[in-house]
Amino acid sequence: MTNIGILGAGRVGTNLARALTAAGHRVTLGHRESGDDTGTPPAAGTASRYADHSTTARTADVVINATPGDSTLDRLTALRAELAEKILIDVSNATLEAADGLPGDLCYPGGSLAERLQAALPETRVVKTLNTMLFMVMTAPATLAVPPTAYLSGNDEQAKKTVAGLLGDLGWQPDWIEDLGDITSARATEAMILVVPHVMRRNGLTPFAVSLAR
Protein backbone atom coordinates (compact mmCIF):
# COMPACT_ATOMS: atom_id res chain seq x y z
CA MET A 1 0.00 0.00 0.00
CA THR A 2 1.26 3.44 -0.96
CA ASN A 3 0.07 6.76 0.45
CA ILE A 4 -0.98 8.65 -2.66
CA GLY A 5 -2.07 12.27 -2.79
CA ILE A 6 -4.00 13.54 -5.79
CA LEU A 7 -4.03 17.29 -6.36
CA GLY A 8 -7.28 18.04 -8.15
CA ALA A 9 -10.66 16.58 -7.27
CA GLY A 10 -12.34 16.84 -10.68
CA ARG A 11 -13.23 13.91 -12.86
CA VAL A 12 -9.59 13.04 -13.62
CA GLY A 13 -8.54 13.05 -9.97
CA THR A 14 -11.67 11.30 -8.75
CA ASN A 15 -11.38 8.63 -11.42
CA LEU A 16 -7.79 7.93 -10.43
CA ALA A 17 -8.69 7.95 -6.72
CA ARG A 18 -11.43 5.39 -7.22
CA ALA A 19 -9.15 2.99 -9.10
CA LEU A 20 -6.14 3.39 -6.82
CA THR A 21 -8.16 2.83 -3.65
CA ALA A 22 -9.67 -0.27 -5.26
CA ALA A 23 -6.08 -1.46 -5.87
CA GLY A 24 -5.37 -1.17 -2.15
CA HIS A 25 -3.65 2.21 -1.89
CA ARG A 26 -4.48 4.92 0.64
CA VAL A 27 -5.55 7.97 -1.33
CA THR A 28 -6.17 11.58 -0.35
CA LEU A 29 -7.92 13.88 -2.82
CA GLY A 30 -6.63 17.42 -2.57
CA HIS A 31 -8.84 20.40 -3.22
CA ARG A 32 -8.18 24.12 -2.87
CA GLU A 33 -10.27 24.70 0.24
CA SER A 34 -8.76 24.45 3.70
CA GLY A 35 -8.76 21.16 5.53
CA ASP A 36 -6.92 19.24 8.23
CA ASP A 37 -4.76 16.16 8.64
CA THR A 38 -7.72 13.83 9.04
CA GLY A 39 -9.57 15.12 6.00
CA THR A 40 -13.26 15.43 5.39
CA PRO A 41 -15.54 12.49 4.45
CA PRO A 42 -14.66 10.39 1.43
CA ALA A 43 -15.30 11.67 -2.07
CA ALA A 44 -18.51 10.39 -3.63
CA GLY A 45 -18.02 6.92 -5.05
CA THR A 46 -14.54 6.47 -3.57
CA ALA A 47 -12.92 5.45 -0.31
CA SER A 48 -10.63 8.48 -0.53
CA ARG A 49 -10.59 11.30 1.97
CA TYR A 50 -10.48 14.99 1.09
CA ALA A 51 -7.86 17.44 2.35
CA ASP A 52 -6.40 20.75 1.24
CA HIS A 53 -3.51 20.76 -1.24
CA SER A 54 -0.84 21.39 1.37
CA THR A 55 -1.94 18.50 3.59
CA THR A 56 -2.41 16.22 0.61
CA ALA A 57 1.14 16.80 -0.65
CA ARG A 58 2.76 16.72 2.78
CA THR A 59 1.23 13.41 3.91
CA ALA A 60 1.69 11.47 0.66
CA ASP A 61 4.61 9.39 -0.58
CA VAL A 62 3.57 9.82 -4.22
CA VAL A 63 1.65 12.86 -5.47
CA ILE A 64 -0.39 12.99 -8.67
CA ASN A 65 -0.98 16.34 -10.32
CA ALA A 66 -4.48 16.43 -11.81
CA THR A 67 -4.94 20.20 -11.61
CA PRO A 68 -5.68 22.30 -14.72
CA GLY A 69 -2.39 22.51 -16.58
CA ASP A 70 -2.58 26.22 -17.33
CA SER A 71 -2.42 27.02 -13.60
CA THR A 72 -0.42 24.02 -12.36
CA LEU A 73 2.97 25.70 -12.21
CA ASP A 74 1.87 28.43 -9.81
CA ARG A 75 -0.11 26.03 -7.64
CA LEU A 76 2.65 23.45 -7.28
CA THR A 77 5.50 25.91 -6.90
CA ALA A 78 3.70 27.10 -3.77
CA LEU A 79 4.01 23.52 -2.45
CA ARG A 80 7.76 23.24 -2.98
CA ALA A 81 8.49 22.27 0.64
CA GLU A 82 5.64 19.75 0.83
CA LEU A 83 6.70 18.10 -2.45
CA ALA A 84 10.41 17.82 -1.59
CA GLU A 85 11.73 14.26 -1.83
CA LYS A 86 8.40 13.05 -3.28
CA ILE A 87 7.56 11.49 -6.63
CA LEU A 88 5.27 13.82 -8.57
CA ILE A 89 3.26 12.18 -11.34
CA ASP A 90 2.08 14.85 -13.77
CA VAL A 91 -0.93 13.76 -15.85
CA SER A 92 -2.03 17.22 -16.95
CA ASN A 93 -1.70 19.18 -20.19
CA ALA A 94 -1.01 22.91 -20.16
CA THR A 95 -3.15 24.47 -22.88
CA LEU A 96 -5.07 27.61 -23.51
CA GLU A 97 -8.82 27.19 -23.79
CA ALA A 98 -10.41 27.30 -27.25
CA ALA A 99 -13.67 29.16 -27.87
CA ASP A 100 -15.70 25.95 -27.48
CA GLY A 101 -14.06 25.08 -24.15
CA LEU A 102 -11.81 22.33 -25.53
CA PRO A 103 -7.99 22.42 -25.31
CA GLY A 104 -6.37 25.01 -27.55
CA ASP A 105 -2.76 26.06 -28.09
CA LEU A 106 0.07 24.90 -25.84
CA CYS A 107 1.01 27.16 -22.93
CA TYR A 108 4.68 26.17 -23.27
CA PRO A 109 5.47 25.65 -26.98
CA GLY A 110 9.00 24.37 -27.48
CA GLY A 111 9.01 23.03 -23.92
CA SER A 112 6.63 21.36 -21.52
CA LEU A 113 4.86 21.78 -18.23
CA ALA A 114 6.73 18.76 -16.86
CA GLU A 115 10.10 20.37 -17.58
CA ARG A 116 9.03 23.57 -15.89
CA LEU A 117 7.80 21.65 -12.87
CA GLN A 118 11.10 19.80 -12.58
CA ALA A 119 13.04 23.07 -12.82
CA ALA A 120 10.81 24.75 -10.22
CA LEU A 121 10.86 21.72 -7.89
CA PRO A 122 14.47 20.47 -8.02
CA GLU A 123 14.06 18.26 -4.93
CA THR A 124 11.02 16.50 -6.43
CA ARG A 125 11.19 13.60 -8.87
CA VAL A 126 8.77 14.50 -11.68
CA VAL A 127 7.39 11.80 -13.97
CA LYS A 128 5.08 12.61 -16.88
CA THR A 129 2.51 10.00 -17.92
CA LEU A 130 -1.17 9.34 -18.76
CA ASN A 131 -1.62 12.71 -20.49
CA THR A 132 -2.24 11.28 -23.98
CA MET A 133 -5.72 9.80 -23.47
CA LEU A 134 -9.19 10.60 -22.21
CA PHE A 135 -9.47 10.30 -18.45
CA MET A 136 -11.50 7.07 -18.44
CA VAL A 137 -8.73 5.22 -20.31
CA MET A 138 -6.23 6.03 -17.55
CA THR A 139 -7.88 3.47 -15.28
CA ALA A 140 -9.35 1.07 -17.85
CA PRO A 141 -6.84 0.68 -20.68
CA ALA A 142 -8.03 -2.82 -21.58
CA THR A 143 -11.45 -1.49 -22.62
CA LEU A 144 -10.04 -0.12 -25.89
CA ALA A 145 -10.11 -2.35 -28.96
CA VAL A 146 -6.37 -1.81 -29.49
CA PRO A 147 -3.92 -1.72 -26.54
CA PRO A 148 -3.07 1.92 -25.73
CA THR A 149 0.31 3.36 -24.79
CA ALA A 150 1.25 5.06 -21.53
CA TYR A 151 4.40 7.11 -22.09
CA LEU A 152 6.87 7.81 -19.28
CA SER A 153 9.21 10.81 -19.11
CA GLY A 154 11.45 11.57 -16.14
CA ASN A 155 15.03 12.02 -14.97
CA ASP A 156 14.89 9.49 -12.12
CA GLU A 157 14.91 5.84 -13.17
CA GLN A 158 13.69 4.51 -9.83
CA ALA A 159 10.83 6.99 -9.81
CA LYS A 160 9.78 5.78 -13.26
CA LYS A 161 9.86 2.18 -12.04
CA THR A 162 7.62 3.12 -9.12
CA VAL A 163 5.20 4.87 -11.48
CA ALA A 164 5.21 1.89 -13.85
CA GLY A 165 4.20 -0.28 -10.88
CA LEU A 166 1.28 2.02 -10.11
CA LEU A 167 0.26 1.91 -13.77
CA GLY A 168 0.21 -1.87 -13.45
CA ASP A 169 -2.24 -1.48 -10.57
CA LEU A 170 -4.46 0.51 -12.95
CA GLY A 171 -4.46 -2.30 -15.52
CA TRP A 172 -1.55 -1.30 -17.74
CA GLN A 173 0.43 -4.23 -19.12
CA PRO A 174 4.24 -3.80 -19.14
CA ASP A 175 4.41 -3.81 -22.95
CA TRP A 176 1.86 -0.98 -23.08
CA ILE A 177 4.26 1.32 -21.18
CA GLU A 178 6.85 3.22 -23.25
CA ASP A 179 9.75 4.89 -21.42
CA LEU A 180 10.78 7.82 -23.61
CA GLY A 181 13.71 8.95 -21.48
CA ASP A 182 14.38 12.07 -19.45
CA ILE A 183 11.94 14.86 -18.63
CA THR A 184 12.67 16.76 -21.85
CA SER A 185 10.83 14.02 -23.76
CA ALA A 186 7.61 15.22 -22.12
CA ARG A 187 7.43 18.05 -24.65
CA ALA A 188 6.65 15.41 -27.29
CA THR A 189 3.78 13.79 -25.41
CA GLU A 190 2.38 17.11 -24.23
CA ALA A 191 2.25 18.24 -27.87
CA MET A 192 0.02 15.24 -28.62
CA ILE A 193 -2.82 17.15 -26.93
CA LEU A 194 -3.09 19.20 -30.12
CA VAL A 195 -4.88 16.33 -31.87
CA VAL A 196 -7.34 15.74 -29.03
CA PRO A 197 -9.83 18.61 -29.55
CA HIS A 198 -10.22 17.71 -33.21
CA VAL A 199 -11.04 14.10 -32.31
CA MET A 200 -13.42 15.17 -29.56
CA ARG A 201 -15.32 17.57 -31.80
CA ARG A 202 -16.12 14.64 -34.07
CA ASN A 203 -16.61 11.89 -31.49
CA GLY A 204 -17.34 13.53 -28.15
CA LEU A 205 -16.11 11.70 -25.05
CA THR A 206 -15.75 8.32 -26.76
CA PRO A 207 -12.69 6.78 -25.04
CA PHE A 208 -9.43 6.93 -27.02
CA ALA A 209 -5.69 7.27 -26.57
CA VAL A 210 -2.89 8.64 -28.74
CA SER A 211 -0.82 5.47 -28.91
CA LEU A 212 2.17 3.82 -30.51
CA ALA A 213 1.33 1.09 -33.01
CA ARG A 214 3.82 -1.66 -33.81
Side-chain angles (χ1 to χ4, degrees):
M1 181 182 73
T2 302
N3 286 325
I4 299 174
I6 301 177
L7 303 178
R11 58 188 179 182
V12 174
T14 302
N15 181 54
L16 287 167
R18 186 179 298 112
L20 289 166
T21 53
H25 299 290
R26 187 169 186 260
V27 178
T28 301
L29 266 170
H31 56 86
R32 299 185 72 179
E33 299 175 4
S34 61
D36 55 37
D37 288 346
T38 58
T40 54
T46 78
S48 308
R49 66 175 187 165
Y50 280 127
D52 60 75
H53 280 183
S54 178
T55 300
T56 298
R58 178 169 45 80
T59 58
D61 301 312
V62 174
V63 179
I64 299 174
N65 171 48
T67 64
D70 60 348
S71 59
T72 284
L73 194 58
D74 288 340
R75 296 187 196 203
L76 270 63
T77 300
L79 299 173
R80 182 170 179 171
E82 291 89 341
L83 291 169
E85 308 301 327
K86 307 288 177 71
I87 295 173
L88 175 65
I89 304 173
D90 179 29
V91 304
S92 65
N93 285 298
T95 62
L96 303 174
E97 188 174 300
D100 57 3
L102 292 175
D105 292 335
L106 299 174
C107 290
Y108 308 114
S112 67
L113 171 60
E115 290 173 86
R116 294 199 175 211
L117 285 171
Q118 187 61 85
L121 304 168
E123 297 179 39
T124 303
R125 295 173 287 167
V126 179
V127 178
K128 189 82 180 191
T129 193
L130 294 181
N131 63 304
T132 55
M133 62 202 70
L134 291 192
F135 71 93
M136 63 283 283
V137 180
M138 296 178 178
T139 58
T143 59
L144 297 186
V146 177
T149 305
Y151 304 97
L152 291 179
S153 299
N155 295 339
D156 189 286
E157 295 300 320
Q158 186 56 52
K160 287 191 287 188
K161 289 180 181 178
T162 298
V163 174
L166 291 174
L167 291 179
D169 292 340
L170 294 175
W172 290 86
Q173 300 298 317
D175 56 350
W176 299 352
I177 301 172
E178 189 75 18
D179 187 342
L180 297 180
D182 68 22
I183 201 66
T184 63
S185 64
R187 65 183 63 181
T189 59
E190 289 191 26
M192 291 180 184
I193 189 65
L194 295 176
V195 75
V196 169
H198 304 292
V199 175
M200 291 181 67
R201 288 186 185 106
R202 294 180 62 86
N203 301 289
L205 285 173
T206 302
F208 75 92
V210 184
S211 298
L212 182 65
R214 287 192 175 97

